[in-house]
Amino acid sequence: MDDLESLRVALAKDPSQDTVDEGRHRLMNAARRPAPRRRGLLAAGVFALGASAAAVITLLPSATPQPAPIGARPAASTPVQLTGRQILLAAADTAQRAAEEPGKYWHVVIEHPGTGKILKGREDETWRAEWWYRRSDGHLFGGTPDGKAMDNPKSGDFWAFDQSFTYQELQELPTDPAALKELALKGMREGLKGEPPRIGEDGYVALSMSYLLYDVPIPPQVRAGVLRAIAGLPIVSNTGDVDGGHGVTVDAGDSSYTLVVDPETGLLRSIVTSPDYKIDIATAEWTDDLPEVVPPTAE
C-alpha cells in the first residue's frame, strides 16, 4: 500500500487527532520520494489522489445563421468542447473580480460524503474536518466533533509552497503565473533536497497550487494567478460538467485527480480522486466568529 492509499484508508472513519495532525500536510508530502515529514500543525485538510471520473462538457458555437435550402432538414449544431485550460482561465477571470473583506479568521470545512463501500477492508464512511487560521498571526484552531475549536499552541503562520508565510506575506504573493510557479518549484527543491518528485515537476506544481486554493487566505488577484498557473500546465484537461461546477483533471500518472471549479465564483468546490471518492470544500471563507476554544488533548 503506497502513501496515497494509506492516507485514504486512514480517513475512512472519523479521523483521530493524530490523523488530523498528520493528514494536513500529507497532501504535499505525498509527492515526495523520501518518507513524508510531519509538520507541527493541528487542523486537517486532506485528500488522497487517485483516478478521476470522466464526463463531457460542450458549448454550442455562435455563428450567423444562414438560410437553409428549401426542403433541407436543419443541421444539428456541432458541439465544441472546452479545454481544461479554458475552464481554468475563465474561473481566474471571475476570481479576479471578486470583492473580499477579510475577517478575523480564515475558516475551512472539508467533507467526505462516504460511500458505504468496503475499501481496503474498511467501510468508507462520512468524515468532516474543520479549522480556523487567526489572521493576525496564523494561529491555528482545529474543529472538534462537539463543535468547539481546539487550540494548537505549536502553530504559527500559514503554510503554502512547502514553507511558512505571515498573513501579510500571503497578501504580497505575486499574481504572475510564472512567478507563482517558480515559488512552487523553489519549495519543491528545498523540500525534496534535490530529489525529483514522484509525480513530476508539473504534478508537484499543480498539487501545491490546488492546496493553496482553499487552505490559506490569498487575495482574489493571487487566486486568479494560481488558477492561471495551473491552466498553463500541459497535464490539465477537461473532464466535464460535474456536480458543483466544471471538472479539470490533473494528469499526474497514478496520482491523477480532478479539481471541480465553480465558474460563477472561481472557487475550488471539490477534489475528485476516483469515481467513489471525493473531498468537498464546504467552506473556505473569512469569518469573525470562533467557537469556544478548548485546550489540546493530552498526548
Side-chain angles (χ1 to χ4, degrees):
M1 182 183 300
D2 62 19
D3 288 342
L4 301 172
E5 282 295 306
S6 297
L7 175 58
R8 181 183 57 73
V9 172
L11 292 173
K13 291 187 176 294
D14 291 339
S16 67
Q17 194 57 58
D18 284 344
T19 301
V20 166
D21 189 17
E22 178 74 11
R24 187 172 178 278
H25 291 296
R26 288 288 293 277
L27 169 63
M28 290 302 302
N29 293 338
R32 301 172 179 273
R33 282 179 177 268
R37 295 181 295 169
R38 184 181 176 112
R39 303 290 179 186
L41 296 178
L42 173 72
V46 295
F47 64 88
L49 302 181
S52 61
V56 175
I57 179 170
T58 59
L59 178 69
L60 296 181
S62 60
T64 303
Q66 300 294 327
I70 297 176
R73 299 178 62 182
S77 298
T78 303
V80 175
Q81 186 170 350
L82 298 175
T83 65
R85 174 180 171 83
Q86 289 170 327
I87 292 170
L88 290 170
L89 290 178
D93 290 343
T94 301
Q96 186 166 332
R97 294 191 298 268
E100 187 175 85
E101 184 66 31
K104 294 180 180 179
Y105 304 95
W106 180 249
H107 181 211
V108 180
V109 178
I110 63 174
E111 299 172 337
H112 170 57
T115 62
K117 296 182 179 181
I118 303 301
L119 301 175
K120 299 294 183 179
R122 180 177 296 184
E123 183 178 353
D124 178 34
E125 297 180 345
T126 300
W127 59 262
R128 180 180 187 271
E130 182 173 25
W131 63 95
W132 295 261
Y133 270 120
R134 189 163 57 201
R135 176 164 62 97
S136 61
D137 58 3
H139 195 86
L140 192 63
F141 303 87
T144 66
D146 57 355
K148 298 178 181 179
M150 183 180 293
D151 188 22
N152 177 13
K154 297 180 181 180
S155 68
D157 290 339
F158 302 84
W159 194 258
F161 295 131
D162 217 16
Q163 56 190 299
S164 64
F165 291 84
T166 66
Y167 172 74
Q168 188 57 40
E169 287 172 338
L170 284 180
Q171 307 315 295
E172 295 171 356
L173 284 173
T175 59
D176 177 64
L180 286 166
K181 181 177 180 180
E182 183 52 41
L183 272 179
L185 291 173
K186 178 177 180 290
M188 179 196 75
R189 289 189 292 266
E190 294 178 355
L192 296 182
K193 301 186 185 305
E195 289 285 335
R198 187 175 61 195
I199 58 176
E201 285 193 359
D202 285 344
Y204 195 97
V205 169
L207 197 60
S208 299
M209 299 291 182
S210 303
Y211 180 72
L212 196 65
L213 282 174
Y214 71 96
D215 183 58
V216 296
I218 54 177
Q221 294 81 4
V222 176
R223 178 178 296 276
V226 167
L227 288 164
R228 289 172 181 136
I230 300 174
L233 300 173
I235 60 173
V236 298
S237 61
N238 175 14
T239 47
D241 202 4
V242 296
D243 185 23
H246 294 332
V248 177
T249 285
V250 178
D251 184 4
D254 293 339
S255 298
S256 296
Y257 57 98
T258 294
L259 304 175
V260 179
V261 180
D262 184 346
E264 295 184 1
T265 63
L267 297 177
L268 184 63
R269 292 303 187 191
S270 300
I271 301 161
V272 181
T273 65
S274 78
D276 294 324
Y277 201 89
K278 72 171 182 173
I279 300 299
D280 291 325
I281 299 156
T283 302
E285 62 187 13
W286 287 108
T287 181
D288 289 329
D289 301 322
L290 184 70
E292 177 187 350
V293 177
V294 296
T297 56
E299 296 183 359

